[in-house]
Amino acid sequence: MSDTLGFRVNVKNHLEIGGCDATELVAQFGSPLYVMDESIIRNSCRLYKNAIDKYYGGRGRVLYASKAFSCLYIYKLIAQEGLGADVVSGGELYTAMKAGMPMEHIYFHGNNKTPQELELAIANNIGRVVVDNVFELDRIEAVAAAQNKTVKILFRIKPGIDAHTHSFVQTGQIDSKFGVALETGEAMDIARRAAGLAHVEVVGVHCHIGSQIFELAPFTLAARVMTEFMCDARDKLGITMTELNLGGGYGIKYLLQDDPVEYDAYIKAVAGVVTEVAQARGFSLPYIMMEPGRSIVGPAGITLYTIGAVKEIPGIRTYVSVDGGMGDNPRYILYQSEYSAVIANRAGEPDEAVVTIAGKCCESGDILIKDIKLPKAEVGDILAVMATGAYNYSMASNYNRIGRPAVVMVKDGEAKVVVKRETYDDIIKNDLL
Ligand code: LLP
Protein backbone atom coordinates (compact mmCIF):
# COMPACT_ATOMS: atom_id res chain seq x y z
CA MET A 1 0.00 0.00 0.00
CA SER A 2 1.44 3.30 -1.07
CA ASP A 3 1.13 5.70 1.85
CA THR A 4 3.21 8.67 2.98
CA LEU A 5 2.27 8.12 6.67
CA GLY A 6 1.68 11.81 7.18
CA PHE A 7 4.58 13.21 5.13
CA ARG A 8 3.68 16.02 2.74
CA VAL A 9 3.52 15.82 -1.02
CA ASN A 10 4.55 19.11 -2.67
CA VAL A 11 3.20 20.88 -5.76
CA LYS A 12 5.58 18.94 -8.00
CA ASN A 13 3.98 15.74 -6.72
CA HIS A 14 7.20 14.91 -4.88
CA LEU A 15 7.46 13.54 -1.36
CA GLU A 16 8.69 16.10 1.13
CA ILE A 17 10.42 15.53 4.46
CA GLY A 18 11.43 18.26 6.90
CA GLY A 19 10.62 20.84 4.24
CA CYS A 20 13.02 19.20 1.73
CA ASP A 21 12.05 17.61 -1.58
CA ALA A 22 13.05 13.93 -1.39
CA THR A 23 14.18 13.81 -5.03
CA GLU A 24 16.45 16.82 -4.51
CA LEU A 25 17.98 15.16 -1.46
CA VAL A 26 18.95 12.19 -3.63
CA ALA A 27 20.33 14.52 -6.32
CA GLN A 28 22.43 16.28 -3.70
CA PHE A 29 23.52 13.44 -1.38
CA GLY A 30 23.23 10.31 -3.52
CA SER A 31 21.31 7.06 -3.25
CA PRO A 32 20.42 5.13 -1.22
CA LEU A 33 19.99 7.66 1.54
CA TYR A 34 18.65 7.61 5.07
CA VAL A 35 16.77 10.84 5.82
CA MET A 36 15.54 11.82 9.27
CA ASP A 37 13.22 14.66 10.20
CA GLU A 38 14.73 16.33 13.27
CA SER A 39 11.49 18.03 14.33
CA ILE A 40 9.68 14.70 14.56
CA ILE A 41 12.43 13.30 16.80
CA ARG A 42 12.40 16.38 19.04
CA ASN A 43 8.59 16.30 19.26
CA SER A 44 8.60 12.68 20.36
CA CYS A 45 11.18 13.44 23.06
CA ARG A 46 8.96 16.27 24.32
CA LEU A 47 5.78 14.19 24.25
CA TYR A 48 7.30 11.60 26.57
CA LYS A 49 8.92 14.17 28.80
CA ASN A 50 5.78 16.28 29.14
CA ALA A 51 3.70 13.21 29.89
CA ILE A 52 5.92 12.36 32.88
CA ASP A 53 5.49 15.93 34.09
CA LYS A 54 1.75 15.82 33.56
CA TYR A 55 0.88 12.39 34.94
CA TYR A 56 3.64 11.74 37.44
CA GLY A 57 4.67 15.14 38.71
CA GLY A 58 7.95 15.04 36.79
CA ARG A 59 9.26 12.21 39.03
CA GLY A 60 10.88 10.36 36.22
CA ARG A 61 13.18 10.46 33.24
CA VAL A 62 12.99 9.43 29.63
CA LEU A 63 16.00 7.45 28.46
CA TYR A 64 16.43 7.11 24.72
CA ALA A 65 17.21 3.48 23.82
CA SER A 66 20.07 4.29 21.52
CA LYS A 67 20.28 0.87 19.89
CA ALA A 68 17.43 2.12 17.68
CA PHE A 69 19.71 4.68 16.02
CA SER A 70 23.13 5.56 17.33
CA CYS A 71 25.54 8.22 16.12
CA LEU A 72 27.16 11.31 17.65
CA TYR A 73 24.40 13.64 16.50
CA ILE A 74 21.50 11.77 18.09
CA TYR A 75 23.14 11.73 21.54
CA LYS A 76 23.73 15.49 21.27
CA LEU A 77 20.12 16.01 20.24
CA ILE A 78 18.59 13.93 23.00
CA ALA A 79 20.84 15.50 25.62
CA GLN A 80 19.59 18.91 24.46
CA GLU A 81 16.05 17.62 24.92
CA GLY A 82 16.85 16.59 28.50
CA LEU A 83 16.70 12.83 27.89
CA GLY A 84 19.16 10.28 29.18
CA ALA A 85 20.32 7.28 27.16
CA ASP A 86 20.27 3.51 27.32
CA VAL A 87 23.46 1.98 25.91
CA VAL A 88 24.14 -1.72 25.45
CA SER A 89 27.77 -1.92 24.42
CA GLY A 90 31.13 -0.24 24.78
CA GLY A 91 30.62 1.17 21.27
CA GLU A 92 27.33 2.86 22.10
CA LEU A 93 28.77 4.09 25.40
CA TYR A 94 31.86 5.47 23.69
CA THR A 95 29.76 7.28 21.08
CA ALA A 96 27.56 8.81 23.80
CA MET A 97 30.65 9.90 25.73
CA LYS A 98 32.26 11.45 22.64
CA ALA A 99 29.01 13.30 21.97
CA GLY A 100 29.31 14.88 25.41
CA MET A 101 26.28 13.15 26.90
CA PRO A 102 26.21 13.65 30.71
CA MET A 103 27.42 10.34 32.20
CA GLU A 104 24.98 10.42 35.11
CA HIS A 105 22.13 9.99 32.65
CA ILE A 106 23.55 6.95 30.88
CA TYR A 107 22.21 3.50 31.76
CA PHE A 108 24.31 0.51 30.73
CA HIS A 109 22.27 -2.54 29.66
CA GLY A 110 23.07 -5.89 28.12
CA ASN A 111 23.15 -9.55 29.10
CA ASN A 112 26.91 -10.03 28.87
CA LYS A 113 28.90 -6.88 29.50
CA THR A 114 32.59 -7.68 29.20
CA PRO A 115 35.15 -6.74 31.87
CA GLN A 116 36.60 -4.17 29.42
CA GLU A 117 33.19 -2.59 28.86
CA LEU A 118 32.58 -2.44 32.61
CA GLU A 119 36.01 -0.89 33.19
CA LEU A 120 35.28 1.81 30.61
CA ALA A 121 31.84 2.49 32.09
CA ILE A 122 32.93 2.58 35.72
CA ALA A 123 36.11 4.58 35.06
CA ASN A 124 33.92 7.22 33.43
CA ASN A 125 31.35 7.25 36.25
CA ILE A 126 28.43 5.71 34.37
CA GLY A 127 25.05 6.74 35.81
CA ARG A 128 23.66 3.24 36.33
CA VAL A 129 24.54 -0.31 35.38
CA VAL A 130 21.53 -2.54 34.82
CA VAL A 131 22.74 -5.89 36.12
CA ASP A 132 21.62 -8.89 34.11
CA ASN A 133 22.90 -11.82 36.14
CA VAL A 134 24.90 -12.89 39.15
CA PHE A 135 28.15 -13.39 37.24
CA GLU A 136 27.96 -9.83 36.05
CA LEU A 137 27.15 -8.60 39.55
CA ASP A 138 30.39 -10.16 40.81
CA ARG A 139 32.32 -8.68 37.86
CA ILE A 140 30.97 -5.22 38.63
CA GLU A 141 31.91 -5.54 42.29
CA ALA A 142 35.46 -6.57 41.31
CA VAL A 143 35.93 -3.74 38.76
CA ALA A 144 34.43 -1.17 41.13
CA ALA A 145 36.61 -2.37 44.02
CA ALA A 146 39.72 -2.14 41.84
CA GLN A 147 38.80 1.44 40.93
CA ASN A 148 37.74 2.25 44.49
CA LYS A 149 34.27 3.31 43.36
CA THR A 150 30.66 2.54 44.19
CA VAL A 151 28.39 1.75 41.26
CA LYS A 152 24.67 2.41 41.31
CA ILE A 153 22.85 -0.64 39.98
CA LEU A 154 19.42 -1.82 38.92
CA PHE A 155 18.46 -5.43 38.26
CA ARG A 156 17.05 -6.57 34.97
CA ILE A 157 13.99 -8.61 35.89
CA LYS A 158 11.82 -10.90 33.79
CA PRO A 159 8.38 -10.11 35.10
CA GLY A 160 6.89 -13.19 33.40
CA ILE A 161 4.79 -11.24 30.90
CA ASP A 162 4.07 -12.40 27.39
CA ALA A 163 3.77 -9.40 25.08
CA HIS A 164 2.09 -10.00 21.75
CA THR A 165 4.83 -9.20 19.32
CA HIS A 166 7.35 -11.07 17.14
CA SER A 167 9.03 -13.83 19.17
CA PHE A 168 12.51 -12.45 18.39
CA VAL A 169 11.68 -9.19 20.17
CA GLN A 170 9.77 -10.64 23.14
CA THR A 171 11.83 -10.41 26.28
CA GLY A 172 9.60 -10.40 29.36
CA GLN A 173 8.83 -14.13 29.51
CA ILE A 174 10.77 -16.64 31.62
CA ASP A 175 12.41 -18.28 28.59
CA SER A 176 14.53 -15.26 27.75
CA LYS A 177 18.28 -14.72 27.78
CA PHE A 178 17.77 -11.38 29.53
CA GLY A 179 17.60 -10.82 33.26
CA VAL A 180 16.64 -12.74 36.38
CA ALA A 181 13.26 -14.40 36.94
CA LEU A 182 10.75 -13.30 39.51
CA GLU A 183 8.80 -16.51 39.89
CA THR A 184 11.81 -18.72 40.69
CA GLY A 185 13.12 -16.41 43.42
CA GLU A 186 16.20 -15.61 41.33
CA ALA A 187 15.43 -11.87 41.44
CA MET A 188 15.22 -11.78 45.22
CA ASP A 189 18.40 -13.85 45.49
CA ILE A 190 20.45 -11.48 43.37
CA ALA A 191 19.14 -8.49 45.34
CA ARG A 192 20.13 -10.23 48.57
CA ARG A 193 23.61 -10.94 47.26
CA ALA A 194 24.06 -7.36 46.05
CA ALA A 195 23.01 -5.98 49.42
CA GLY A 196 26.06 -7.67 50.91
CA LEU A 197 28.56 -6.15 48.46
CA ALA A 198 30.62 -3.10 49.32
CA HIS A 199 31.02 -1.44 45.91
CA VAL A 200 27.51 -1.51 44.52
CA GLU A 201 24.47 0.43 45.63
CA VAL A 202 21.12 -1.11 44.74
CA VAL A 203 18.88 1.69 43.48
CA GLY A 204 16.18 -0.07 41.53
CA VAL A 205 14.79 -2.57 39.09
CA HIS A 206 14.29 -2.69 35.36
CA CYS A 207 12.22 -4.69 32.92
CA HIS A 208 11.68 -4.59 29.19
CA ILE A 209 8.89 -6.81 27.96
CA GLY A 210 9.35 -6.56 24.22
CA SER A 211 9.22 -4.24 21.25
CA GLN A 212 6.62 -2.92 18.80
CA ILE A 213 3.78 -3.55 21.30
CA PHE A 214 0.34 -2.10 20.56
CA GLU A 215 -1.40 -2.76 23.88
CA LEU A 216 -1.39 -1.02 27.23
CA ALA A 217 -2.16 -4.06 29.39
CA PRO A 218 1.31 -5.70 29.31
CA PHE A 219 2.88 -2.41 30.42
CA THR A 220 0.50 -1.83 33.31
CA LEU A 221 0.85 -5.46 34.39
CA ALA A 222 4.64 -5.12 34.31
CA ALA A 223 4.43 -1.90 36.32
CA ARG A 224 2.29 -3.63 38.94
CA VAL A 225 4.48 -6.71 39.25
CA MET A 226 7.67 -4.64 39.43
CA THR A 227 6.36 -2.21 42.03
CA GLU A 228 5.18 -5.14 44.16
CA PHE A 229 8.68 -6.59 43.88
CA MET A 230 10.24 -3.35 45.13
CA CYS A 231 7.89 -3.47 48.13
CA ASP A 232 8.73 -7.16 48.72
CA ALA A 233 12.46 -6.40 48.61
CA ARG A 234 11.96 -3.75 51.27
CA ASP A 235 9.94 -6.11 53.45
CA LYS A 236 12.19 -9.15 53.05
CA LEU A 237 15.65 -7.62 52.69
CA GLY A 238 15.32 -4.15 54.12
CA ILE A 239 16.52 -2.60 50.82
CA THR A 240 14.73 0.58 49.77
CA MET A 241 14.84 0.93 46.01
CA THR A 242 13.92 4.26 44.49
CA GLU A 243 14.00 3.70 40.71
CA LEU A 244 11.65 1.74 38.51
CA ASN A 245 12.80 1.47 34.92
CA LEU A 246 10.03 0.05 32.74
CA GLY A 247 11.95 -0.24 29.46
CA GLY A 248 10.65 0.61 26.01
CA GLY A 249 8.65 -1.24 23.40
CA TYR A 250 5.96 1.23 22.34
CA GLY A 251 4.67 0.35 18.89
CA ILE A 252 4.77 2.70 15.90
CA LYS A 253 2.91 2.96 12.62
CA TYR A 254 4.64 1.14 9.77
CA LEU A 255 1.48 0.58 7.75
CA LEU A 256 -1.61 2.67 7.24
CA GLN A 257 -3.71 0.23 9.28
CA ASP A 258 -1.35 0.18 12.30
CA ASP A 259 -2.97 1.88 15.25
CA PRO A 260 -0.42 2.61 17.96
CA VAL A 261 -1.35 3.80 21.44
CA GLU A 262 -0.74 7.53 22.08
CA TYR A 263 2.59 7.98 23.88
CA ASP A 264 0.83 9.88 26.67
CA ALA A 265 -1.46 6.97 27.39
CA TYR A 266 1.39 4.64 28.41
CA ILE A 267 2.67 7.02 31.03
CA LYS A 268 -0.77 7.89 32.28
CA ALA A 269 -1.67 4.21 32.75
CA VAL A 270 1.64 3.15 34.25
CA ALA A 271 1.82 6.14 36.62
CA GLY A 272 -1.65 5.26 37.91
CA VAL A 273 -0.72 1.66 38.66
CA VAL A 274 2.60 2.49 40.33
CA THR A 275 0.91 5.11 42.51
CA GLU A 276 -1.86 2.69 43.47
CA VAL A 277 0.52 -0.11 44.50
CA ALA A 278 2.92 2.24 46.30
CA GLN A 279 0.10 3.77 48.30
CA ALA A 280 -1.40 0.41 49.17
CA ARG A 281 1.96 -0.86 50.46
CA GLY A 282 3.12 2.34 52.14
CA PHE A 283 6.05 2.73 49.74
CA SER A 284 7.50 6.07 48.64
CA LEU A 285 6.70 6.79 44.99
CA PRO A 286 9.65 5.59 42.94
CA TYR A 287 11.20 7.53 40.05
CA ILE A 288 9.93 6.06 36.81
CA MET A 289 12.23 5.61 33.85
CA MET A 290 10.99 4.77 30.39
CA GLU A 291 13.22 3.76 27.52
CA PRO A 292 11.62 4.37 24.14
CA GLY A 293 13.85 3.72 21.16
CA ARG A 294 11.75 2.92 18.10
CA SER A 295 9.04 5.47 18.91
CA ILE A 296 11.55 8.33 19.24
CA VAL A 297 13.32 7.84 15.90
CA GLY A 298 11.32 5.32 13.84
CA PRO A 299 8.57 7.55 12.43
CA ALA A 300 11.11 10.32 11.72
CA GLY A 301 13.08 8.34 9.13
CA ILE A 302 12.66 7.33 5.53
CA THR A 303 15.06 5.58 3.18
CA LEU A 304 15.36 6.75 -0.41
CA TYR A 305 16.43 4.30 -3.11
CA THR A 306 16.80 4.47 -6.86
CA ILE A 307 14.96 1.87 -8.90
CA GLY A 308 17.36 0.12 -11.31
CA ALA A 309 15.29 -2.71 -12.79
CA VAL A 310 11.65 -3.74 -13.10
CA LYS A 311 11.42 -7.46 -13.84
CA GLU A 312 7.99 -8.82 -14.63
CA ILE A 313 7.60 -12.60 -14.39
CA PRO A 314 4.25 -13.11 -16.15
CA GLY A 315 1.60 -14.60 -13.91
CA ILE A 316 3.99 -14.81 -10.98
CA ARG A 317 5.43 -11.55 -9.65
CA THR A 318 7.06 -8.27 -10.60
CA TYR A 319 10.37 -7.56 -8.91
CA VAL A 320 11.36 -3.91 -8.56
CA SER A 321 15.07 -3.82 -7.72
CA VAL A 322 16.55 -0.95 -5.76
CA ASP A 323 20.13 0.07 -5.04
CA GLY A 324 20.04 -0.96 -1.35
CA GLY A 325 18.41 -3.83 0.54
CA MET A 326 19.12 -6.09 3.49
CA GLY A 327 22.45 -4.34 4.11
CA ASP A 328 20.73 -1.07 5.02
CA ASN A 329 17.45 -2.63 6.23
CA PRO A 330 17.69 -6.23 7.47
CA ARG A 331 14.28 -6.15 9.16
CA TYR A 332 12.37 -8.04 6.47
CA ILE A 333 14.88 -10.86 6.29
CA LEU A 334 15.07 -11.04 10.10
CA TYR A 335 11.47 -10.52 11.19
CA GLN A 336 9.39 -10.37 7.98
CA SER A 337 8.68 -6.76 8.97
CA GLU A 338 6.26 -4.87 6.78
CA TYR A 339 6.77 -1.37 5.46
CA SER A 340 4.88 1.11 3.36
CA ALA A 341 6.53 2.96 0.51
CA VAL A 342 5.88 5.62 -2.10
CA ILE A 343 7.41 6.55 -5.40
CA ALA A 344 8.85 9.84 -4.22
CA ASN A 345 8.96 11.56 -7.61
CA ARG A 346 5.30 10.69 -8.35
CA ALA A 347 3.96 10.63 -4.81
CA GLY A 348 0.40 11.69 -5.55
CA GLU A 349 -0.25 9.17 -8.35
CA PRO A 350 -2.77 6.39 -7.82
CA ASP A 351 -1.53 2.87 -7.11
CA GLU A 352 -1.94 0.47 -9.96
CA ALA A 353 0.11 -2.71 -9.60
CA VAL A 354 1.27 -5.05 -6.87
CA VAL A 355 5.04 -5.47 -6.94
CA THR A 356 7.81 -6.81 -4.70
CA ILE A 357 10.68 -4.51 -3.78
CA ALA A 358 13.96 -6.42 -3.94
CA GLY A 359 17.39 -5.39 -2.70
CA LYS A 360 20.66 -5.79 -4.60
CA CYS A 361 22.36 -8.37 -2.37
CA CYS A 362 23.23 -11.84 -3.65
CA GLU A 363 20.50 -13.47 -1.63
CA SER A 364 16.98 -14.43 -2.73
CA GLY A 365 15.61 -13.43 0.67
CA ASP A 366 16.90 -9.90 0.20
CA ILE A 367 13.48 -8.32 -0.02
CA LEU A 368 12.43 -4.95 1.39
CA ILE A 369 8.69 -5.20 0.81
CA LYS A 370 6.72 -8.17 -0.45
CA ASP A 371 3.55 -7.41 -2.42
CA ILE A 372 3.03 -3.69 -2.23
CA LYS A 373 0.62 -1.76 -4.42
CA LEU A 374 2.34 1.19 -6.09
CA PRO A 375 1.99 3.42 -9.14
CA LYS A 376 3.73 1.83 -12.11
CA ALA A 377 7.43 1.76 -11.16
CA GLU A 378 10.00 2.80 -13.73
CA VAL A 379 13.77 2.64 -13.87
CA GLY A 380 15.16 5.86 -12.41
CA ASP A 381 12.23 6.44 -10.04
CA ILE A 382 13.05 7.24 -6.42
CA LEU A 383 11.42 4.87 -3.95
CA ALA A 384 10.86 6.08 -0.39
CA VAL A 385 10.42 3.39 2.27
CA MET A 386 8.66 4.95 5.24
CA ALA A 387 9.29 4.71 9.00
CA THR A 388 12.86 3.43 8.73
CA GLY A 389 14.33 5.68 11.42
CA ALA A 390 14.73 2.89 13.97
CA TYR A 391 16.73 -0.33 13.68
CA ASN A 392 17.76 0.32 10.08
CA TYR A 393 20.99 2.33 10.12
CA SER A 394 21.84 0.84 13.53
CA MET A 395 21.46 -2.72 12.20
CA ALA A 396 23.05 -2.09 8.81
CA SER A 397 25.91 -4.26 7.59
CA ASN A 398 28.47 -4.30 4.80
CA TYR A 399 27.26 -7.59 3.36
CA ASN A 400 28.51 -7.97 -0.21
CA ARG A 401 30.91 -5.12 0.65
CA ILE A 402 28.21 -2.58 -0.01
CA GLY A 403 28.88 0.67 1.87
CA ARG A 404 26.32 1.96 4.34
CA PRO A 405 24.31 4.95 3.08
CA ALA A 406 24.75 8.44 4.50
CA VAL A 407 22.32 9.74 7.12
CA VAL A 408 20.93 13.18 6.41
CA MET A 409 19.05 15.16 9.07
CA VAL A 410 16.45 17.59 7.72
CA LYS A 411 14.66 20.44 9.43
CA ASP A 412 12.81 23.51 8.13
CA GLY A 413 14.01 22.99 4.58
CA GLU A 414 17.69 22.57 5.58
CA ALA A 415 19.59 19.31 5.20
CA LYS A 416 22.86 18.25 6.82
CA VAL A 417 24.82 15.04 6.60
CA VAL A 418 25.24 13.63 10.11
CA VAL A 419 26.80 10.31 9.06
CA LYS A 420 28.75 10.19 5.82
CA ARG A 421 28.32 7.55 3.15
CA GLU A 422 30.86 4.72 3.33
CA THR A 423 33.34 4.71 0.48
CA TYR A 424 35.22 1.80 -1.07
CA ASP A 425 38.23 2.90 0.99
CA ASP A 426 36.12 2.71 4.17
CA ILE A 427 35.25 -0.84 3.15
CA ILE A 428 38.91 -1.96 3.01
CA LYS A 429 40.25 0.19 5.84
CA ASN A 430 40.64 -2.69 8.33
CA ASP A 431 42.07 -5.15 5.82
CA LEU A 432 45.76 -5.46 6.70
CA LEU A 433 47.35 -7.88 4.29
N1 LLP B 1 15.17 -0.93 26.71
C1 LLP B 1 15.73 -2.15 26.56
C2 LLP B 1 16.39 -2.78 27.69
C3 LLP B 1 15.68 -2.81 25.33
O1 LLP B 1 16.22 -4.00 25.20
C4 LLP B 1 15.06 -2.16 24.23
C5 LLP B 1 15.01 -2.79 22.92
C6 LLP B 1 14.50 -0.89 24.43
C7 LLP B 1 14.56 -0.31 25.69
C8 LLP B 1 13.84 -0.11 23.34
O2 LLP B 1 12.74 -0.74 22.78
P1 LLP B 1 11.86 0.03 21.67
O3 LLP B 1 11.20 1.20 22.36
O4 LLP B 1 12.80 0.48 20.59
O5 LLP B 1 10.92 -0.99 21.19
N2 LLP B 1 15.88 -4.95 16.34
C9 LLP B 1 14.48 -5.13 16.68
C10 LLP B 1 14.13 -4.46 17.98
C11 LLP B 1 14.99 -4.97 19.13
C12 LLP B 1 14.69 -4.24 20.40
C13 LLP B 1 15.71 -4.59 21.42
N3 LLP B 1 15.57 -3.92 22.66
C14 LLP B 1 13.63 -4.56 15.54
O6 LLP B 1 14.18 -4.12 14.56
O7 LLP B 1 12.40 -4.63 15.61
Side-chain angles (χ1 to χ4, degrees):
M1 172 75 188
S2 169
D3 189 76
T4 67
L5 298 185
F7 285 104
R8 237 175 70 90
V9 176
N10 67 19
V11 287
K12 293 185 190 156
N13 229 2
H14 293 175
L15 182 73
E16 218 178 77
I17 174 165
C20 298
D21 182 315
T23 66
E24 285 169 23
L25 290 172
V26 167
Q28 191 177 353
F29 301 108
S31 173
L33 189 67
Y34 296 114
V35 187
M36 303 195 63
D37 184 330
E38 184 164 333
S39 303
I40 296 181
I41 301 176
R42 288 188 186 273
N43 275 341
S44 304
C45 293
R46 289 170 199 175
L47 270 176
Y48 279 116
K49 222 170 152 269
N50 294 343
I52 289 186
D53 292 344
K54 186 166 161 198
Y55 298 113
Y56 202 63
R59 294 176 54 82
R61 184 173 287 278
V62 186
L63 310 172
Y64 165 62
S66 64
K67 70 210 78 181
F69 173 73
S70 176
C71 66
L72 290 171
Y73 192 80
I74 195 75
Y75 292 106
K76 293 177 193 164
L77 186 159
I78 60 143
Q80 283 166 9
E81 293 296 332
L83 271 62
D86 143 0
V87 301
V88 288
S89 69
E92 285 182 0
L93 173 60
Y94 185 78
T95 312
M97 279 163 43
K98 285 284 174 185
M101 186 88 215
M103 284 303 283
E104 68 268 28
H105 296 150
I106 303 183
Y107 284 60
F108 194 8
H109 287 272
N111 65 308
N112 189 13
K113 306 169 191 76
T114 65
Q116 295 77 15
E117 287 175 322
L118 290 171
E119 277 160 20
L120 175 73
I122 295 169
N124 287 283
N125 303 320
I126 186 99
R128 306 282 186 269
V129 179
V130 181
V131 179
D132 183 87
N133 57 68
V134 73
F135 308 98
E136 183 178 296
L137 175 65
D138 292 348
R139 263 199 303 272
I140 294 168
E141 172 66 16
V143 173
Q147 295 187 16
N148 199 20
K149 296 212 167 130
T150 304
V151 181
K152 291 196 165 77
I153 59 167
L154 288 81
F155 301 110
R156 165 93 187 229
I157 290 181
K158 295 184 255 201
I161 289 163
D162 233 341
H164 296 136
T165 186
H166 193 288
S167 61
F168 285 12
V169 292
Q170 268 179 10
T171 46
Q173 72 286 7
I174 189 154
D175 183 2
S176 165
K177 71 169 182 169
F178 296 106
V180 287
L182 267 189
E183 56 261 61
T184 58
E186 195 186 3
M188 199 59 81
D189 287 347
I190 198 170
R192 185 176 296 112
R193 185 184 184 101
L197 299 178
H199 298 89
V200 296
E201 179 188 343
V202 178
V203 297
V205 284
H206 164 267
C207 69
H208 171 78
I209 54 176
S211 201
Q212 185 62 359
I213 299 170
F214 281 130
E215 305 155 289
L216 272 179
F219 290 102
T220 49
L221 183 56
R224 180 173 301 281
V225 168
M226 297 292 285
T227 314
E228 295 281 7
F229 177 79
M230 293 172 91
C231 299
D232 292 346
R234 175 201 56 187
D235 297 348
K236 289 193 178 141
L237 309 175
I239 306 175
T240 303
M241 302 188 195
T242 52
E243 294 186 9
L244 173 57
N245 180 330
L246 291 166
Y250 318 109
I252 66 163
K253 200 177 177 80
Y254 284 104
L255 303 175
L256 191 57
Q257 63 268 29
D258 289 340
D259 186 19
V261 173
E262 296 283 324
Y263 297 172
D264 262 39
Y266 289 112
I267 302 175
K268 187 176 179 197
V270 159
V273 168
V274 172
T275 307
E276 179 202 316
V277 175
Q279 278 172 0
R281 306 256 328 237
F283 193 78
S284 303
L285 271 191
Y287 280 88
I288 294 182
M289 254 68 64
M290 26 190 353
E291 290 176 338
R294 188 191 310 272
S295 51
I296 297 275
V297 287
I302 64 172
T303 311
L304 300 171
Y305 302 94
T306 304
I307 294 173
V310 180
K311 197 175 285 178
E312 195 178 332
I313 310 173
I316 298 185
R317 177 181 300 284
T318 298
Y319 283 100
V320 172
S321 293
V322 296
D323 53 355
M326 61 183 279
D328 59 80
N329 183 357
R331 295 193 70 256
Y332 177 83
I333 203 160
L334 278 175
Y335 323 113
Q336 300 74 51
S337 299
E338 294 182 285
Y339 283 93
S340 48
V342 293
I343 295 185
N345 49 307
R346 291 187 280 117
E349 281 187 19
D351 297 333
E352 67 156 47
V354 173
V355 298
T356 286
I357 311 296
K360 65 183 258 102
C361 285
C362 260
E363 189 97 19
S364 295
D366 176 23
I367 297 293
L368 285 175
I369 308 178
K370 199 171 175 195
D371 296 334
I372 178 170
K373 203 163 183 207
L374 286 176
K376 190 169 169 45
E378 280 163 22
V379 170
D381 278 340
I382 306 295
L383 185 84
V385 177
M386 315 308 291
T388 58
Y391 304 113
N392 274 233
Y393 170 69
S394 66
M395 291 175 76
S397 77
N398 286 129
Y399 183 46
N400 290 167
R401 295 232 141 180
I402 296 169
R404 292 176 183 82
V407 183
V408 167
M409 200 61 75
V410 290
K411 183 169 181 279
D412 303 329
E414 304 276 316
K416 55 191 173 199
V417 179
V418 297
V419 182
K420 75 176 182 60
R421 183 179 301 282
E422 283 176 346
T423 62
Y424 291 138
D425 283 329
D426 291 328
I427 299 274
I428 60 163
K429 74 172 185 290
N430 294 326
D431 299 1
L432 293 181
L433 297 173

